[in-house]
Amino acid sequence: MGIMGRSLAMVLALAAYNTKHAVEGAFNIGRAITDITGPASEANLMGYAVPGQLAGGIHMRLRARAFVFQDRDGVTGALGKQFAFVSADIGMASDLVTQKVVEGLEAQLPGVYSYENVCISGTHTHSSPAGFLQYTLFQVTSLGFVPETFNAYVDGIVAAVVAAHNDLQPAVVKVANGELEGANINR
C-alpha cells in the first residue's frame, strides 16, 4: 500500500477509535487543504543528505491536508472531543513544527487543540525544502535552519486545521479494505 493509502487508512482508523461511534451521525468531520510550498528555488531538498541538491523551481505545490474529527452523540447531538490529523507534503513531522502549530491553534481557537489531539504526519517526500527540523544532524546537510521553510509549513498547517475546524459537519465514517493496484511507485 502506498503512502497515501497508508495515510488514508490511518485517518480512518483514528476516526474509528471507539466502537460506540459506529452509528450514523456520531461524528462531525471537517476537511481542508492549504498550500505550504515555501521557498521555490535554491532551497536544499529534504531527505537525501546531499547539500548540493537544490530546488530549481516548482513542479507541484506542497499541501497540508487536515481532517478534524469531533465526537457527537448520535441521540442527543451533544458535542464532545476533537482530534486533528494533518498529512503534509513534507519529509517528516517535527517536534518544533508541532509545537508551533499547537501554539498557533491555541491563539486562534483557545482551549480546543493541544499535543493530546493534534497529529501531523509527513508524506515522506524527498522533494520538499529542508531546514525545518530542530535536530543538528538534519541541519548539517540542509545547511542550517531555514525560517522561510519552517514558517510556510507552520502557517499552512495552522490554516489547514482552522479551516477544517470551521468546516465541521455531520458525517459518516466507513472503513474499506482492499488492494489498490498501479496507484503508486516507489524506488
Side-chain angles (χ1 to χ4, degrees), residues 2-16:
I3 290 171
M4 292 303 290
R6 284 193 301 271
S7 294
L8 181 57
M10 183 179 188
V11 168
L12 294 175
L14 291 169

Side-chain angles (χ1 to χ4, degrees), residues 73-171:
D73 188 292
V75 176
T76 67
L79 300 178
K81 296 179 183 177
Q82 294 175 324
F83 173 79
F85 174 81
V86 180
S87 176
D89 292 336
I90 58 179
M92 63 192 76
S94 142
D95 294 332
L96 187 58
V97 168
T98 301
Q99 175 187 343
K100 294 303 181 183
V101 165
V102 168
E103 289 175 11
L105 292 171
E106 179 62 25
Q108 294 191 44
L109 301 166
V112 179
Y113 297 100
S114 69
Y115 291 105
E116 303 297 319
N117 64 351
V118 172
C119 176
I120 301 170
S121 176
T123 60
H124 197 98
T125 180
H126 289 246
S127 299
S128 63
F132 64 97
L133 297 165
Q134 71 277 13
Y135 305 111
T136 304
L137 179 62
F138 291 104
Q139 299 308 338
V140 171
T141 57
S142 67
L143 308 177
F145 187 80
V146 182
E148 296 84 4
T149 298
F150 179 80
N151 292 333
Y153 292 171
V154 169
D155 295 346
I157 292 169
V158 169
V161 174
V162 169
H165 176 89
N166 292 333
D167 183 58
L168 283 167
Q169 53 193 293

